[in-house]
Amino acid sequence: MDELIPVSEWYTGADGLTVRVTLPYEAGPLFDADPVEVPGAGAAVGAGGAKVGRNDPCPCGSGRKYKKCCLRRGAPRPEPGRRPGHEPDPIHDLDEELVYELIDFAVENLGAAWRRRKEPFTHPDETSQLSYPWAVYHHRVEGETVVERYLREQGHRLSRQQRAWLVAQQAAWLSIWEVTAVDPGVGLTARDLLSGEVREVHEVTASRMVLVRDVLLARVVDYDGRAFISGLYPCSLPPMAAVEVERRGRRWLRRKREVPVERLRDDRFGRFLIRRWEEAVAELGRQSASPRGS
C-alpha cells in the first residue's frame, strides 16, 4: 500500500476569510496554524521587505513583537505601519505587553527556579502562545505564581486597567474547549468539555482558522463583560482525539460529571493536561505519517 502523504490547501478571499482543507482531517496539526502569507511581511528591515510596525513580529526571529525585542534594545525603529490585514486589538496588545513584563520580572527575581517553567512542554519556544502565559500565570515558585508576586511587589506601579486585567488572569483556567460556533474575523463560541462553561470569545485571528467541532487547549479570560483567549496551544485536536484527553483528565480529577472551575486552576492538573495534549498531537502525527491500514 502506498504511503498516504498529508496535504493541506487554503484560499483567502477578498473579505479576509481563509478556508482550509486538510486530508486526512487528523493531519491538521501538522500544518502551520497560520497559512496566510503576506508578501514582504516579516522581511528583514532594509532588505527590501515590508517595514516592521511596533506590534509586528521582530525581524530578528525571536517570536516577540518588535516593541518588546529589538526596539527595547535600542535598535533603530523602521517607519510605522502595519501588515496588510493586521487589525489593532487593544486587549490582546495589553495582554502581550504584560506577559513580557512579567517574564522580565521573573528573569530578574526568580533565578534558577524560573527555568523549570518549561517542564510541561516538549518544545516550549515553539508553543509560546501557551507556554508563555502558562509560565507567568500558573507556574509556581516557592508557592506563588509570577503574577501573584508581581502584584505584591510591583502592583502599585500599574494602571487601573493593567491591574484589572491581571486580576482577571488569576481567575482564568486552562481547559479543553470545543468550538461550537464561529463568526470569522469576529469571534467564536466554545464549551469547556470539563466544566461545562460556555463562552462567546472575542478572537479575531483564531476565528478565521478554526472550524466548528475543533477542540482547543486554551485559557479563556473573563474581562469587562467579555471573554478572551489568553494562551492557546498551536495545534487543535479533532473530536475523537480530544475525547481521549478529556477521559484521562477526568480520571486524574476523579470526576465523571462537570468539574468545578477552581479544580481546573490547579497547576498540577494543568501540567498533566498539557502533557496528555502533546501526546495526542504526536500520535496524530504518527498516524498521518503511517501507510494506510498499518
Side-chain angles (χ1 to χ4, degrees):
M1 184 69 68
D2 293 336
E3 179 177 355
L4 177 62
I5 301 176
V7 295
S8 183
E9 298 289 343
W10 53 80
Y11 168 76
T12 302
D15 59 358
L17 174 63
T18 296
V19 177
R20 182 177 66 181
V21 178
T22 302
L23 182 68
Y25 176 85
E26 292 79 7
L30 298 177
F31 296 92
D32 190 349
D34 187 6
V36 182
E37 293 183 4
V38 180
V45 178
K51 299 296 184 180
V52 181
R54 178 179 175 83
N55 290 306
D56 288 340
C58 187
C60 75
S62 66
R64 302 177 71 175
K65 285 189 177 183
Y66 177 68
K67 67 183 180 181
K68 303 300 290 185
C69 191
C70 287
L71 178 61
R72 170 179 288 185
R73 295 198 292 264
R77 182 185 175 186
E79 295 177 11
R82 292 182 176 271
R83 301 186 308 277
H86 181 80
E87 303 173 25
D89 190 333
I91 295 299
H92 283 89
D93 283 350
L94 171 68
D95 181 32
E96 186 165 330
E97 180 178 351
L98 286 172
V99 164
Y100 285 120
E101 178 69 26
L102 290 167
I103 289 174
D104 290 344
F105 173 81
V107 170
E108 293 173 3
N109 294 277
L110 300 182
W114 168 243
R115 290 195 289 270
R116 293 200 299 273
R117 74 194 184 279
K118 298 181 178 182
E119 288 174 356
F121 298 90
T122 305
H123 303 289
D125 294 331
E126 296 176 15
T127 55
S128 60
Q129 293 170 266
L130 179 60
S131 66
Y132 286 8
W134 166 268
V136 297
Y137 297 128
H138 297 278
H139 175 65
R140 291 186 175 274
V141 178
E142 297 180 354
E144 65 180 347
T145 61
V146 174
V147 67
E148 288 170 345
R149 179 164 174 175
Y150 183 86
L151 284 170
R152 176 165 54 81
E153 297 183 8
Q154 304 290 336
H156 62 279
R157 301 173 50 201
L158 298 173
S159 69
R160 181 177 300 178
Q161 183 187 36
Q162 290 172 324
R163 175 179 285 275
W165 178 254
L166 292 183
V167 170
Q169 285 283 6
Q170 291 179 288
W173 67 95
L174 177 69
S175 196
I176 308 168
W177 297 83
E178 180 182 21
V179 178
T180 59
V182 179
D183 187 358
V186 178
L188 55 92
T189 303
R191 177 178 177 270
D192 181 355
L193 296 181
L194 292 173
S195 72
E197 295 280 334
V198 177
R199 293 292 186 275
E200 294 184 3
V201 182
H202 177 78
E203 179 55 58
V204 174
T205 302
S207 67
R208 289 176 172 152
M209 302 304 302
V210 301
L211 302 173
V212 171
R213 297 202 72 206
D214 279 350
V215 186
L216 314 175
L217 179 64
R219 301 178 67 256
V220 175
V221 180
D222 296 315
Y223 173 78
D224 196 24
R226 295 193 293 171
F228 302 87
I229 290 178
S230 176
L232 173 67
Y233 196 88
C235 296
S236 60
L237 288 177
M240 290 303 295
V243 164
E244 176 61 16
V245 178
E246 178 191 357
R247 183 187 67 80
R248 297 179 71 178
R250 289 186 178 279
R251 181 188 297 173
W252 193 95
L253 293 165
R254 298 181 179 178
R255 186 86 181 189
K256 293 183 178 180
R257 298 184 178 181
E258 293 181 349
V259 179
V261 167
E262 52 267 25
R263 295 201 63 188
L264 300 178
R265 297 191 183 106
D266 186 334
D267 65 303
R268 296 169 300 175
F269 175 68
R271 292 173 189 275
F272 175 87
L273 195 60
I274 291 165
R275 293 189 183 103
R276 301 296 81 78
W277 193 269
E278 291 199 328
E279 290 171 359
V281 169
E283 178 60 25
L284 279 180
R286 287 190 290 269
Q287 292 175 5
S288 299
S290 298
R292 183 181 299 177
S294 63

